[in-house]
Amino acid sequence: MMIINLKKYGAVLTGREFGADVMNKLKQELKFPVTLDFEGVESLGSSFGDEVVPVIANEQGKTIKIVNANNDVKGTLKDIAFDSKITIVME
């Protein structure tokens, strides 16, 4: 299982363009299944999340595992899951 620590892209992850840029970088190294680690990420914008979370989830059966997300990030992830019709497993 591959764990991607999103903190390396910043503590505040916002913006559709930035999300698309990060996703393009991640595509080079993805090995499924993928878990996203939000340790150290203070906030997640839905536009950034839309460019990363559903893209990865759709490649692995519409499901993605999330670890170390704070309550603000969890709230955004729940909205993304609902809008994208994916399942997010949070630990």
Side-chain angles (χ1 to χ4, degrees):
M1 174 186 317
M2 179 176 196
I3 298 174
I4 298 172
N5 187 334
L6 291 171
K7 169 90 166 62
K8 69 180 175 182
Y9 300 104
V12 177
L13 303 175
T14 60
R16 191 164 302 282
E17 269 187 52
F18 183 45
D21 288 345
V22 168
M23 191 63 231
N24 283 332
K25 289 176 186 167
L26 291 175
K27 282 181 182 177
Q28 310 298 321
E29 60 189 64
L30 286 180
K31 292 179 181 68
F32 297 100
V34 172
T35 295
L36 296 179
D37 186 345
F38 282 87
E39 183 174 4
V41 175
E42 296 169 18
S43 66
L44 172 69
S46 59
S47 56
F48 178 99
D50 285 343
E51 295 296 323
V52 175
V53 179
V55 175
I56 295 173
N58 286 330
E59 291 292 323
Q60 51 189 29
K62 294 194 154 291
T63 301
I64 191 161
K65 183 177 174 184
I66 304 291
V67 295
N68 300 317
N70 67 27
N71 287 336
D72 289 338
V73 171
K74 284 180 181 177
T76 302
L77 289 168
K78 286 177 185 173
D79 291 342
I80 291 169
F82 179 81
D83 292 343
S84 303
K85 296 176 178 55
I86 61 170
T87 300
I88 295 180
V89 178
M90 291 194 221
E91 288 187 7

